[in-house]
Amino acid sequence: MKKGIAFGDSIIKGVVLDKSGSEGIHYSAIEDNFAEQCSRRLGLAIDNYGRFGCTVTVGEKILNRHLDQIVHSDYTFLEYGGNDCDFKWADIGCDPDARHEPNTDLRTFSLTYKALIDKVRNLGSRPVMFSLIPLVSDRYFAHVTRDMDREGRNNVLKWLGGDTEGINNWHEIYNLQIFKLGLALNVPVIDVTTAFLSKKCFQDYMCADGIHPNEKGHGLIADTVCDLFKGRRFK
């Protein structure tokens, strides 16, 4: 049986929004996440080291603790960017006119991601990247401003240019960078972006927070991955 190892954030970990309401929000990791489904359907044993909130710089530290496993893995799956391009929304809500930077600037994101890919290759494993899942902008805006008063929400909206769709801008920049890295480094990128956007209502595949895929979304990712592997693209 071929082996794989996965690093990334809450999406590859299988985290979904369990509950959202007057009692607050609650996340949980589903057992039958897309990595587990792929493992079962492809006969590919996958060790999953995804972590909630993980950026590529934190991911580098996690990956370095598992070098011995990477050596024995046919594939190393890398899924970063969603938290890297995110902002400290509470700070924006307090002062929209100040300078605000994403969690990981684009240059650091690119250089660190490249370093991870080089390290994986030097260890004899094949790196495979994931593109970003599209945001549901209105849901995500409501999610990140849920604890703000009206002034805070209006400040965030002002910073976004007056439209919640502005929340997608940095997300798309980082997503494009993932595809650029894949092309430049000859690393396959599993295009889950298109898989979601090709659906008539991709929002049905997303949690209420607008950023995490739900159980149905994990099934869609699994289908996308399995179709590519069965098509021998990554053999």
Side-chain angles (χ1 to χ4, degrees):
M1 175 182 286
K2 287 185 176 293
K3 295 187 65 176
I5 190 168
F7 300 95
D9 57 32
S10 54
I11 292 177
I12 207 163
K13 183 68 174 177
V15 172
V16 298
L17 182 63
D18 228 14
K19 185 177 182 182
S20 180
S22 59
E23 298 179 5
I25 61 172
H26 181 261
Y27 288 97
S28 63
I30 57 174
E31 291 186 7
D32 200 29
N33 57 65
F34 81 82
E36 180 61 31
Q37 292 182 47
C38 291
S39 177
R40 185 172 63 250
R41 291 165 61 179
L42 296 173
L44 179 66
I46 301 175
D47 292 320
N48 193 337
Y49 294 102
R51 178 181 293 184
F52 191 94
C54 196
T55 61
V56 72
T57 51
V58 174
E60 182 177 32
K61 298 174 184 177
I62 296 172
L63 186 145
N64 284 334
R65 295 200 291 266
H66 299 281
L67 301 181
D68 55 336
Q69 289 175 264
I70 295 173
V71 169
H72 299 290
S73 297
D74 299 282
Y75 303 100
T76 298
F77 298 98
L78 302 169
E79 183 266 322
Y80 294 107
N83 292 301
D84 296 276
C85 69
D86 206 11
F87 288 84
K88 294 178 175 59
W89 298 106
D91 292 347
I92 296 173
C94 290
D95 188 0
D97 296 318
R99 182 179 178 85
H100 298 282
E101 299 290 346
N103 291 330
T104 310
D105 66 84
L106 192 62
R107 183 175 184 274
T108 300
F109 176 74
S110 301
L111 292 175
T112 307
Y113 218 148
K114 181 181 182 301
L116 289 183
I117 290 166
D118 290 342
K119 182 168 291 187
V120 167
R121 278 182 164 153
N122 289 336
L123 291 170
S125 182
R126 185 174 188 186
V128 179
M129 304 166 73
F130 281 86
S131 70
L132 298 184
I133 292 171
L135 297 176
V136 184
S137 59
D138 56 343
R139 293 184 193 175
Y140 190 56
F141 174 80
H143 176 70
V144 299
T145 62
R146 66 190 182 278
D147 294 326
M148 299 181 190
D149 58 18
R150 178 178 295 180
E151 181 182 5
R153 290 192 295 272
N154 287 339
N155 283 341
V156 173
L157 191 61
K158 172 187 174 182
W159 186 80
L160 291 171
D163 190 336
T164 60
E165 287 299 322
I167 214 162
N168 287 301
N169 292 352
W170 280 94
H171 191 268
E172 286 306 306
I173 289 171
Y174 280 65
N175 199 27
L176 287 171
Q177 191 62 24
I178 290 168
F179 283 106
K180 289 177 182 178
L181 282 169
L183 182 63
L185 302 175
N186 194 28
V187 176
V189 178
I190 297 177
D191 183 9
V192 294
T193 313
T194 298
F196 276 76
L197 292 179
S198 63
K199 295 299 180 182
K200 190 171 184 179
C201 189
F202 83 89
Q203 294 87 342
D204 292 343
Y205 296 79
M206 300 293 293
C207 291
D209 63 4
I211 192 170
H212 288 94
N214 55 26
E215 289 87 346
K216 187 176 179 181
H218 275 271
L220 178 59
I221 300 172
D223 288 344
T224 303
V225 175
C226 291
D227 286 348
L228 290 171
F229 267 81
K230 289 178 180 178
R232 297 184 177 276
R233 179 176 175 182
F234 299 135
K235 299 294 184 181

